[in-house]
Structures are given as structure tokens and as C-alpha cells.
Amino acid sequence: MNREQRERAIIDWVRRIPAGKVASYGQIAELAGLGRGARQVGRVLSTLGGHSDVPWHRVLNSRGEIRLALDSDAGRRQRRRLRAEGVVVNRGRVRMADYAWQVSLDERLWGDFFRAE
DNA sequence: CTGATGACTATAG
DNA sequence: CCTATAGCCATCA
């Protein structure tokens, strides 16, 4: 896979995170076929621009924390977007046990099929 | 080619 | 919970 394909895979999977749910960078990397490329996910999201229609705000680190500075515009935007979807954010953190996105096998296979086009 | 960088993660103390 | 450390890996200067 070249860079373009990897970026597309990442964006595709992030778009599939349902409103009110969250995923980790590592989880998206795994789903997108990047193995341990969690950092690559963060890098791609950083190029989106805060007003993107891509639900980048639903991606948190493995501890359920918002990794953008809480006092930054982007950080506040992320927190606001999450809360607007009913996600409880405390001190920039979310209870993964309550909001972690569980991807069904069907959904995973469909994603693979979609990317194979 | 080399070294630095980061919206990362797991583990140990 | 916090810090430190070590992997990780595409990208960029």
C-alpha cells in the first residue's frame, strides 16, 4: 500500500466510528491494516483541519484521553464535539469501557472488501 | 543516508 | 495516578 491508500484506509475507518462512540489511534491503525502504525493515524488526522467533516474527534489515545492540548482551540473543539454526541468527558478523559467502539466482524470484512476495490 | 519528530502504546516502578 | 523507558514507524529536513 502506498501513502495515498493508507491515508484513505485511515479516513475510511474513522468515518465509520458511530456518533457517541470513540476509538483509539491504535485501533484505527489495526483496522486500516497499518499494524502498529498508531502514530501514522495521528499524523493523518493532524492534516485534516479542525473543521473537517471527518469525525476525527472520536479518536483518542489508548487510555481514552484527548491528546490535543485542552486549552487549545482544537482541544476545546474536540471536547465540545464529543459532549455534543453525549460522550461524558472528564478532565479530558473518557471512560473507554462505556464508549469504546466495538467493530463487528461483518463491519470489518466489509471494510476490507471496500478497500480491495 | 541520518537524525529528529510526533494527535502512539505497553510496561515497570 | 505519575514518571521513565523502550519500542514503534512514516515523514521530513
Side-chain angles (χ1 to χ4, degrees):
Chain A
M1 268 201 296
N2 59 39
R3 170 161 72 176
E4 210 174 315
Q5 296 175 310
R6 289 195 301 272
E7 293 186 352
R8 203 195 75 190
I10 290 171
I11 300 301
D12 282 348
W13 278 107
V14 171
R15 279 186 183 289
R16 295 193 183 104
I17 306 173
K21 290 292 179 181
V22 299
S24 70
Y25 298 98
Q27 180 182 3
I28 295 300
E30 194 60 44
L31 288 169
L34 304 189
R36 305 181 188 78
R39 304 187 93 116
Q40 301 2 290
V41 174
R43 183 175 51 70
V44 171
L45 294 188
S46 74
T47 68
L48 288 178
H51 294 76
S52 170
D53 57 313
V54 175
W56 54 269
H57 59 285
R58 298 179 190 143
V59 185
L60 310 172
N61 72 10
S62 63
R63 298 179 190 176
E65 303 169 319
I66 288 178
R67 281 308 277 175
L68 293 174
L70 295 175
D71 57 348
S72 67
D73 283 359
R76 277 188 289 273
R77 184 178 302 114
Q78 181 165 23
R79 194 180 57 181
R80 181 164 49 71
R81 284 191 179 191
L82 285 171
R83 285 178 169 161
E85 299 181 343
V87 176
V88 177
V89 185
N90 257 322
R91 291 174 222 158
R93 192 176 302 163
V94 162
R95 283 186 178 291
M96 291 303 269
D98 297 333
Y99 304 102
W101 177 34
Q102 308 290 4
V103 186
S104 69
L105 180 57
D106 280 353
E107 198 167 3
R108 180 190 286 265
L109 292 177
W110 185 81
D112 290 340
F113 169 74
F114 183 80
R115 217 175 317 113
E117 291 293 289

